[in-house]
Amino acid sequence: RSSTPSDAATRQRPAASPSGLTPAAKKTKPSRNMSEDDGNAVAICSNNMSSVTTEEEDETPLPLQPNQSQAANVDLQSSLYDEGGVLRDDVAKSLLIDEHGNIKDDMLKFLTDHLKGEKYDKKKTLTRMENKLLGSLADCEIRAKAGWKDGDVKSVKATSFGRNQQMTLCRVPRQYTSNGEKSRRTFQRHNKIAQNWMSFIEVSGFRFGFVLDQIDKLTDAEKRKAAQVLVPTLSPEESAVLQSYCGMNNEQRRKLRRCLAYQTGIRIIAPDGKVRELKENHFEDNCRSAEMTTKELKRPVKKTKNGSNILSRKSFVLVFTVRPLEHVVCAIRALFQSGEFKVRLGGPCTVGEIFSGKVVVKISADAGGGSFKIIINLVNVKNPQGQEHVHLVGEFSGIKDTPENIRLAFFEEDSIIRSDIEAILNRQCVIVCLKMSDGQLQTIVVENDDADHDIMNPKPLLALTGVTEESAATDEANEMGIGRLKFAEVHELKVLKNDGCFSGISFFDSRGGCVATVMLREHLDGVDFNGLEMKQYMLISAHAADMEYMSGLIGHQGASAKNPCIYNRAKNVDVKNMWNLEVDFPSYEDRTNENIDEDFECFQREYDNKLPRSSRTPALRKNVSQNMSHSIVDRKFYKFPMDVLNPGSMHVRTGNTRSLLDFVFHFYRRIADLVPGKHTKAAIFIEEEIRHLQIYLDYLDSQQKDVLMTLESKDKVLDDIVDTINRFRKVAFESPTLSQATRDEYARKLESLEQVYQSRTEGDDGDTEDEKKLKVQLLEQSCLVKNTIDHLQTLYKKHVCFSQRHIVDILKVYGVDLQVYFGGILIGPHCMNLAEHSEKILKAILAKMKEEVQDERLVKAMEKFTEKMVKIFAVWYELCMQMMSKKYQDDDAIAEWKRRVTKIKRLIVDLIETDPPLPGEENPLKLPTTLKWFSLLSSIMLNFLKVWRCFGDVDEQNIESNHPQRNAMAARHRGRRGPAKNLAIMKELEIERAPWMRDGIKEMLEATKAKRAPILRTRAIVELSEDADATLETENAAIENESVTLYDYELEMNDCDALRIPDDFVLPDVLPDDNNNNQQVDADQEGLD
């Protein structure tokens, strides 16, 4: 594995003491004086290698040197080491290796005798991959030849095998118990590991002597392969990547770490504290504005009788927020540093000459998975719909996402979330990128607060003019790289120099005063202004959400209003007329920021602020919303231009696909109804029961006809009395101009009416007790019979329609599954499967239905329906592909879009009205009148495509994909409760978007995937002769010249000398009179053949 040098400190492992505890941190530099008796082991170094020591906390490397207390080894020690305690280059090879490339016996004996029974806790640092590889192989060689026993346990501890990392040779700490059982298990475990290493080394061909001689000739791939002999200790980053990819919470990661440590004897996964510290630092660095606050929201309880008001109770809810502009600063900086920034053409405004390009983001909002979320993601990337680019702006759960709750949670007047979103959507922000000549890069974002800001032609900043040490007072936002000022007042920009580095940008007015300073999130080292490059990028945004959120966004009543569309003022009758073939792409008066505000002011004036309050009746509200305010009844969440709203292209794709599939269900259901005698036994039984119950219901109705008439008249009289009582109460108790005498008169009349109401509701009307019981029984039985009939009719529909069962089965075969628990919706991939394989699916359904239907007229109708639907789905598949495409749509593509929409409109009208397969009353198909079809057939989606030139990268796909990911994260932290759980979920979601996390997972998957890339050897094909007596040479030539595919393991077998017959191999002579020898030679020859 490769890693950056900056990870070296995090990869260090402390040496283990004999007691098994980690020694305290040591800041002193280790001594290299050979006279000191401070080492009990020998580290073996290759030629031209030197030992390097570093000063790290808990990681102080100490040299391993021979024990000077043994006088017999003094001469050998002086011949091994120089004055600095380093193995001499000129003697290393001759001392360790014999002529056969193996370690010498005398050196092996010295090492084993020296290590045997000695205690040591100091180590030798080896600084390169070759050193680590050599040390590990030497240790394995010594293990195999020394035959250590229980009291001589040794181990190799390696922190990693990346570049410039360190490995150490040290002793495994003993763990004593009363009976020595634990110590014996420890020895057995480590001894088994050593044996496994030796087996791998011998099979791979990497012997100690071979490496010492040939280490410089090995390629990087061979070195990495050899380095896999040892089990590395993962860095905190690698441990976090492993945890994220495997979906583990912190407790599961700790358990895995302990289990691996017990099974292998090496602590492979990084300590919990370091992983936790890494995550905390990343979250604090990239989400400084993160807040978890408690908001008082409203939980709906029930609606009132007239439906205009909703009763609710207060509920305290946790709301998580992060500033959108902070996400933009951090995400675009990481994108520029990685070099993955992708130019995105199209958009609602033009880019001036000063700008280096456009940074496009998308703001999405939706409720799902038990929570409401607002996200922001970059579009200038290779995969704009990927979850790796999604950043959470706001989230709350456990309460209904009503427009009022969304406004209270995020979009109150003083909300910083609302301010940032308005600045992004109204194109007031400029991204400034500062890059040094050595590659250092930082970004800030500056918001234009000019009153005359032109949304179609945003103004850039001026260029940098020099360096300054003057700065203005900064707030928390300025420290995060976010600034807000009036561009018209800025006359000069200078980079701020502080302590030998560039730390921010100061803005000066015409008088030379510093009006604002925006700090960089990280300083740029160096003060060379000539090596500093400044680029500006315009920040624009699209807005994607479902229809429900968009309706609340502009204060709209919803899809059932008289003006149901949120993009224009079209009425219900206009939506129904969208299938008119005389007009293509009908357009209506667009909604704008201005007329939406005017409509809300009209609603406030005519209804909300109407006095007295008693005049605000439901009838008045209905009249105002339908005829005056164009169905606008509430204030907008925030200000935005209408050209940023995506028309819900993903929901158009899924909803209209389901609508086309409904054509298939409805048509074949009618076919099944027209087939005589095809009902199942259960359906026949249910039908008979329904007939009997209907006869009984008619009898009950005839018996209580007089009772029902009496009840209806009585209810009408009681309603009149209640209305009169309410009017008298308002006059008697609410009118301030009545005298006391008049008020008393109204009170007497009110009391009289209440007595009349009570007598009519509780009176006997002359009925006896038996008559009253009979009436009650008749009414109860009527209700029970009606409910039973409704239930049986539902069951009858399920049993009688054999076509639905066949259609669902065939759809599953082709990967189309209806989400039964969500109203039978189709998710995106299943929609594409249906559209792509529509011809096969429809023909399979037709063939299955022909087995059930024998009527020739119905068979012809099914064939006609299949033919028409195949054409419709073919055009629809092309439209879906265009809606999903992330490529730039030029004028030719837009013309093709118009042609396809017009064509599918005519095909559907022809199927349903012009030439239906089942004519007249038998035709079950009706033209759909949903807003999704209206968005497609009107000018709504066409206008958006002309402005943004693409649907696929700015639709609502990634907000929908975020719901299951959030649910999975909640399940991962199911052991937590309350604010701690919510905060942990938000942190983990943000950490998984970190660049090092994405790169680590990608590297791990690339390194572990099955590498079966075939190698195709192309040769000229020799055609076989047509003559039956073709020679054997021609046939063999054809076989040899055939194209063959060899896998990697086949190539290795071909290159393996052990599987080849030596060139000097000679068969032994055969004796004619020796049958046994003849048989043996024949067997050998057969084996060779």
Side-chain angles (χ1 to χ4, degrees):
R1 296 183 59 87
S2 62
S3 60
T4 58
S6 61
D7 297 333
T10 61
R11 294 177 182 266
Q12 305 284 336
R13 286 185 55 83
S17 63
S19 61
L21 302 177
T22 301
K26 299 180 180 180
K27 295 294 185 178
T28 59
K29 188 173 182 179
S31 173
R32 290 186 177 272
N33 189 352
M34 293 296 297
S35 62
E36 297 181 9
D37 183 14
D38 57 356
N40 306 97
V42 174
I44 306 174
C45 301
S46 63
N47 294 336
N48 301 322
M49 302 296 178
S50 60
S51 60
V52 180
T53 59
T54 57
E55 296 183 13
E56 295 288 346
E57 185 173 357
D58 293 348
E59 296 297 331
T60 307
L62 299 175
L64 293 177
Q65 300 168 355
N67 193 342
Q68 284 248 323
S69 62
Q70 302 180 15
N73 295 329
V74 174
D75 296 337
L76 182 59
Q77 173 187 327
S78 60
S79 63
L80 282 174
Y81 294 92
D82 58 14
E83 295 179 357
V86 181
L87 189 69
R88 294 182 180 277
D89 297 338
D90 55 346
V91 300
K93 182 175 179 180
S94 60
L95 177 65
L96 302 178
I97 306 301
D98 59 16
E99 63 274 10
H100 301 292
N102 297 321
I103 186 170
K104 288 186 176 182
D105 293 336
D106 55 350
M107 185 62 192
L108 178 63
K109 184 177 184 303
F110 167 77
L111 291 175
T112 53
D113 291 343
H114 183 75
L115 293 175
K116 187 174 182 179
E118 296 291 338
K119 295 182 180 180
Y120 64 95
D121 57 359
K122 299 179 181 180
K123 53 189 178 178
K124 172 76 174 183
T125 301
L126 308 174
T127 57
R128 297 184 183 179
M129 181 182 295
E130 293 85 356
N131 299 40
K132 295 182 296 180
L133 180 59
L134 183 60
S136 61
L137 296 177
D139 183 77
C140 294
E141 191 83 8
I142 294 170
R143 285 172 180 276
K145 295 185 178 182
W148 287 334
K149 298 180 181 180
D150 186 7
D152 308 316
V153 182
K154 305 295 181 298
S155 175
V156 175
K157 292 187 177 181
T159 55
S160 97
F161 286 92
R163 288 191 302 271
N164 299 327
Q165 300 305 310
Q166 299 174 348
M167 74 149 292
T168 58
L169 297 177
C170 61
R171 181 171 182 169
V172 175
R174 293 187 180 184
Q175 301 175 7
Y176 294 101
T177 57
S178 57
N179 55 5
E181 177 65 24
K182 194 171 184 180
S183 178
R184 184 165 60 255
R185 289 202 308 266
T186 303
F187 165 73
Q188 293 172 352
R189 184 165 61 250
H190 288 280
N191 191 38
K192 183 177 180 180
I193 296 172
Q195 293 174 1
N196 293 339
W197 288 346
M198 277 301 304
S199 300
F200 181 88
I201 294 167
E202 292 175 356
V203 172
S204 304
F206 290 100
R207 300 287 294 180
F208 171 70
F210 170 78
V211 172
L212 187 62
D213 288 334
Q214 306 294 332
I215 194 71
D216 294 332
K217 300 180 181 180
L218 295 181
T219 64
D220 292 339
E222 291 172 331
K223 292 177 183 178
R224 285 194 296 269
K225 184 176 181 181
Q228 293 173 359
V229 175
L230 288 178
V231 182
T233 299
L234 301 179
S235 67
E237 291 86 352
E238 293 166 338
S239 301
V241 166
L242 178 65
Q243 176 186 0
S244 173
Y245 182 72
C246 297
M248 297 184 294
N249 56 30
N250 295 335
E251 182 63 26
Q252 291 167 337
R253 188 191 72 241
R254 281 193 291 269
K255 290 180 179 179
L256 177 63
R257 177 173 178 266
R258 292 167 182 169
C259 292
L260 291 176
Y262 176 80
Q263 295 296 335
T264 65
I266 300 176
R267 298 191 179 276
I268 299 174
I269 300 178
D272 301 331
K274 292 187 177 181
V275 178
R276 183 168 57 252
E277 181 182 4
L278 170 70
K279 293 183 176 182
E280 290 291 341
N281 292 340
H282 174 82
F283 186 78
E284 292 175 1
D285 291 342
N286 293 272
C287 299
R288 302 178 190 174
S289 60
E291 290 183 350
M292 182 72 76
T293 57
T294 303
K295 296 291 184 72
E296 185 180 303
L297 307 184
K298 296 183 178 180
R299 189 181 301 277
V301 179
K302 60 179 292 187
K303 288 188 176 182
T304 57
K305 184 177 180 180
N306 56 26
S308 60
N309 298 320
I310 298 178
L311 300 179
S312 60
R313 61 182 178 86
K314 296 179 181 179
S315 182
F316 292 95
V317 179
L318 293 172
V319 180
F320 176 82
T321 57
V322 181
R323 289 194 65 173
L325 287 178
E326 184 180 13
H327 280 317
V328 171
V329 172
C330 297
I332 196 63
R333 179 188 59 182
L335 190 63
F336 285 154
Q337 288 175 340
S338 64
E340 298 177 357
F341 181 80
K342 182 180 178 182
V343 177
R344 206 277 187 190
L345 302 177
C349 59
T350 58
V351 180
E353 295 181 356
I354 298 180
F355 288 108
S356 299
K358 289 185 294 188
V359 173
V360 184
V361 300
K362 178 178 62 178
I363 298 175
S364 308
D366 190 30
S371 64
F372 175 83
K373 311 173 191 66
I374 303 176
I375 65 171
I376 187 170
N377 69 283
L378 288 175
V379 179
N380 302 85
V381 291
K382 183 178 181 180
N383 182 22
Q385 297 292 2
Q387 288 298 304
E388 64 270 19
H389 305 295
V390 171
H391 299 278
L392 195 64
V393 171
E395 190 262 1
F396 66 80
S397 58
I399 199 169
K400 177 65 177 175
D401 58 316
T402 62
E404 185 177 9
N405 283 339
I406 295 174
R407 181 180 290 105
L408 291 174
F410 305 112
F411 305 128
E412 293 182 309
E413 291 294 333
D414 58 345
S415 171
I416 192 64
I417 304 299
R418 173 179 177 174
S419 175
D420 280 3
I421 291 179
E422 285 183 346
I424 294 173
L425 293 178
N426 289 279
R427 302 186 273 277
Q428 297 176 248
C429 297
V430 174
I431 294 177
V432 179
C433 176
L434 298 180
K435 185 175 182 180
M436 299 289 290
S437 57
D438 57 358
Q440 298 182 73
L441 186 145
Q442 288 294 319
T443 57
I444 64 171
V445 61
V446 186
E447 177 186 344
N448 186 2
D449 201 25
D450 287 340
D452 59 346
H453 169 68
D454 186 0
I455 198 171
M456 300 306 297
N457 188 20
K459 184 186 301 183
L461 289 166
L462 301 177
L464 287 175
T465 58
V467 180
T468 183
E469 296 183 357
E470 183 179 357
S471 63
T474 58
D475 55 13
E476 184 178 357
N478 300 145
E479 296 293 336
M480 292 188 293
I482 303 172
R484 183 176 183 178
L485 49 91
K486 298 182 183 297
F487 283 17
E489 298 179 357
V490 177
H491 288 262
E492 193 175 14
L493 274 71
K494 292 184 178 180
V495 61
L496 180 63
K497 183 179 69 173
N498 187 8
D499 295 335
C501 59
F502 295 138
S503 58
I505 296 180
S506 294
F507 302 85
F508 297 87
D509 57 16
S510 58
R511 298 186 300 272
C514 184
V515 297
T517 298
V518 180
M519 306 300 294
L520 303 178
R521 297 181 71 90
E522 295 180 7
H523 294 176
L524 295 175
D525 296 332
V527 291
D528 183 13
F529 180 74
N530 296 326
L532 183 65
E533 180 185 10
M534 170 182 168
K535 291 185 178 180
Q536 299 185 50
Y537 294 85
M538 181 192 303
L539 181 61
I540 66 174
S541 174
H543 204 349
D546 57 4
M547 296 291 183
E548 182 180 0
Y549 178 83
M550 289 297 185
S551 296
L553 173 62
I554 67 172
H556 189 261
Q557 280 186 307
S560 60
K562 185 176 181 180
N563 301 90
C565 185
I566 62 176
Y567 305 99
N568 54 47
R569 290 179 169 180
K571 300 180 179 180
N572 282 327
V573 64
D574 299 323
V575 175
K576 295 178 181 179
N577 292 334
M578 63 181 167
W579 297 100
N580 184 5
L581 298 180
E582 297 180 358
V583 181
D584 293 332
F585 301 99
S587 59
Y588 306 92
E589 182 183 0
D590 293 330
R591 294 189 189 270
T592 62
N593 243 333
E594 291 73 18
N595 62 32
I596 291 175
D597 292 338
E598 293 173 0
D599 289 339
F600 176 64
E601 291 173 0
C602 174
F603 183 80
Q604 279 190 314
R605 182 176 63 253
E606 299 296 332
Y607 180 78
D608 273 353
N609 299 332
K610 196 79 171 179
L611 293 176
R613 292 181 59 89
S614 58
S615 61
R616 303 176 199 168
T617 61
L620 177 62
R621 189 178 191 273
K622 180 178 180 181
N623 179 57
V624 173
S625 62
Q626 290 185 353
N627 303 320
M628 299 181 187
S629 66
H630 301 94
S631 302
I632 300 296
V633 296
D634 206 347
R635 190 184 303 276
K636 293 185 302 186
F637 289 165
Y638 38 79
K639 298 178 182 179
F640 62 93
M642 293 298 293
D643 56 14
V644 304
L645 295 186
N646 184 292
S649 56
M650 191 200 75
H651 285 85
V652 169
R653 190 172 72 250
T654 56
N656 291 354
T657 303
R658 174 66 213 217
S659 179
L660 294 178
L661 184 59
D662 286 340
F663 290 170
V664 180
F665 279 108
H666 294 162
F667 176 80
Y668 282 109
R669 185 182 187 86
R670 179 56 57 89
I671 292 292
D673 293 340
L674 294 176
V675 175
K678 289 299 295 184
H679 298 173
T680 62
K681 292 182 179 180
I684 296 173
F685 174 78
I686 294 172
E687 188 177 16
E688 186 68 17
E689 289 296 322
I690 291 176
R691 188 175 65 83
H692 291 162
L693 288 173
Q694 190 64 48
I695 294 174
Y696 184 54
L697 182 62
D698 294 340
Y699 168 75
L700 292 175
D701 290 343
S702 64
Q703 292 295 320
Q704 57 182 348
K705 184 176 181 180
D706 296 336
V707 177
L708 293 175
M709 292 178 62
T710 303
L711 288 176
E712 290 178 359
S713 61
K714 185 176 180 180
D715 289 341
K716 184 176 180 181
V717 172
L718 289 176
D719 288 341
D720 293 339
I721 293 175
V722 170
D723 292 340
T724 305
I725 290 175
N726 291 334
R727 288 198 300 271
F728 278 13
R729 284 178 177 174
K730 288 182 180 180
V731 173
F733 302 110
E734 296 182 6
S735 179
T737 59
L738 291 181
S739 62
Q740 187 62 34
T742 306
R743 200 181 302 277
D744 294 340
E745 181 67 22
Y746 274 110
R748 285 193 295 272
K749 291 182 179 181
L750 182 61
E751 184 179 358
S752 175
L753 286 173
E754 290 176 348
Q755 292 176 356
V756 173
Y757 178 81
Q758 184 176 3
S759 64
R760 286 186 176 274
T761 54
E762 300 179 0
D764 54 8
D765 294 335
D767 293 338
T768 62
E769 291 296 328
D770 293 339
E771 291 174 342
K772 291 179 180 179
K773 291 182 179 180
L774 178 61
K775 291 179 180 180
V776 172
Q777 290 177 358
L778 291 174
L779 289 173
E780 288 178 349
Q781 293 222 9
S782 296
C783 293
L784 290 174
V785 172
K786 287 181 180 179
N787 293 337
T788 305
I789 290 176
D790 293 340
H791 179 64
L792 288 177
Q793 286 177 344
T794 303
L795 294 178
Y796 178 76
K797 291 179 181 179
K798 294 181 178 180
H799 285 82
V800 73
C801 187
F802 57 86
S803 63
Q804 182 173 359
R805 183 171 61 256
H806 294 326
I807 295 172
V808 171
D809 292 342
I810 294 173
L811 289 175
K812 288 183 179 180
V813 172
Y814 288 92
V816 181
D817 191 11
L818 301 179
Q819 302 293 314
V820 179
Y821 295 99
F822 297 96
I825 64 173
L826 286 173
I827 60 177
H830 293 211
C831 290
M832 297 307 298
N833 289 341
L834 175 60
E836 183 178 3
H837 305 291
S838 58
E839 184 174 359
K840 297 179 182 179
I841 293 173
L842 291 170
K843 289 184 178 180
I845 295 173
L846 176 62
K848 193 67 177 178
M849 290 297 295
K850 282 184 177 181
E851 298 176 3
E852 305 279 355
V853 180
Q854 306 299 328
D855 190 340
E856 184 177 354
R857 182 179 69 89
L858 297 180
V859 171
K860 290 183 178 180
M862 291 190 299
E863 293 175 348
K864 185 177 181 180
F865 174 79
T866 301
E867 181 182 357
K868 291 179 178 290
M869 286 301 299
V870 167
K871 295 180 180 179
I872 291 173
F873 269 112
V875 181
W876 180 242
Y877 178 68
E878 295 175 353
L879 285 171
C880 288
M881 291 299 293
Q882 194 165 0
M883 280 187 277
M884 292 182 62
S885 174
K886 302 175 181 64
K887 297 181 180 179
Y888 178 81
Q889 305 289 311
D890 55 12
D891 293 339
D892 294 338
I894 294 176
E896 188 66 19
W897 168 269
K898 296 170 67 175
R899 184 193 66 80
R900 290 167 178 166
V901 172
T902 304
K903 183 177 180 180
I904 197 172
K905 177 179 178 180
R906 280 159 171 71
L907 289 173
I908 293 176
V909 172
D910 179 70
L911 170 69
I912 297 176
E913 291 189 346
T914 307
D915 186 21
L918 290 175
E921 295 182 356
E922 291 183 346
N923 184 16
L925 305 180
K926 296 181 180 180
L927 292 173
T929 57
T930 62
L931 290 177
K932 296 180 177 67
W933 278 108
F934 182 71
S935 298
L936 178 69
L937 300 180
S938 67
S939 59
I940 296 174
M941 295 189 71
L942 178 62
N943 292 339
F944 184 86
L945 184 60
K946 290 179 178 179
V947 173
W948 287 90
R949 297 287 175 164
C950 185
F951 288 119
D953 58 354
V954 289
D955 64 9
E956 60 275 30
Q957 177 180 336
N958 51 10
I959 182 66
E960 297 291 345
S961 303
N962 189 257
H963 299 321
Q965 192 174 46
R966 197 268 183 193
N967 290 345
M969 192 64 68
R972 190 185 302 179
H973 294 276
R974 56 187 173 272
R976 298 189 178 189
R977 295 291 183 271
K981 178 179 181 178
N982 287 8
L983 188 59
I985 292 173
M986 300 304 110
K987 285 184 177 181
E988 289 293 336
L989 287 175
E990 184 60 34
I991 290 169
E992 290 198 347
R993 273 63 171 170
W996 54 266
M997 180 73 75
R998 299 199 309 266
D999 296 341
I1001 293 177
K1002 181 180 179 181
E1003 178 186 353
M1004 181 172 62
L1005 295 180
E1006 287 290 335
T1008 56
K1009 69 180 182 180
K1011 299 179 180 179
R1012 292 292 184 187
I1015 300 176
L1016 186 63
R1017 296 182 176 178
T1018 305
R1019 307 184 184 96
I1021 303 299
V1022 178
E1023 296 182 0
L1024 295 177
S1025 174
E1026 297 180 359
D1027 189 1
D1029 297 329
T1031 60
L1032 180 62
E1033 290 77 5
T1034 306
E1035 295 177 358
N1036 292 336
I1039 295 174
E1040 286 294 330
N1041 287 275
E1042 185 179 2
S1043 296
V1044 295
T1045 300
L1046 297 180
Y1047 292 98
D1048 51 357
Y1049 61 88
E1050 294 175 326
L1051 295 177
E1052 291 181 4
M1053 292 171 63
N1054 288 340
D1055 296 335
C1056 182
D1057 294 336
L1059 300 179
R1060 298 293 180 190
I1061 301 175
D1063 296 335
D1064 56 352
F1065 179 77
V1066 179
L1067 286 174
D1069 296 334
V1070 180
L1071 298 176
D1073 56 348
D1074 193 344
N1075 295 329
N1076 295 332
N1077 289 341
N1078 288 337
Q1079 295 175 0
Q1080 181 64 35
V1081 172
D1082 292 340
D1084 294 341
Q1085 183 63 44
E1086 182 180 355
L1088 292 176
D1089 294 340

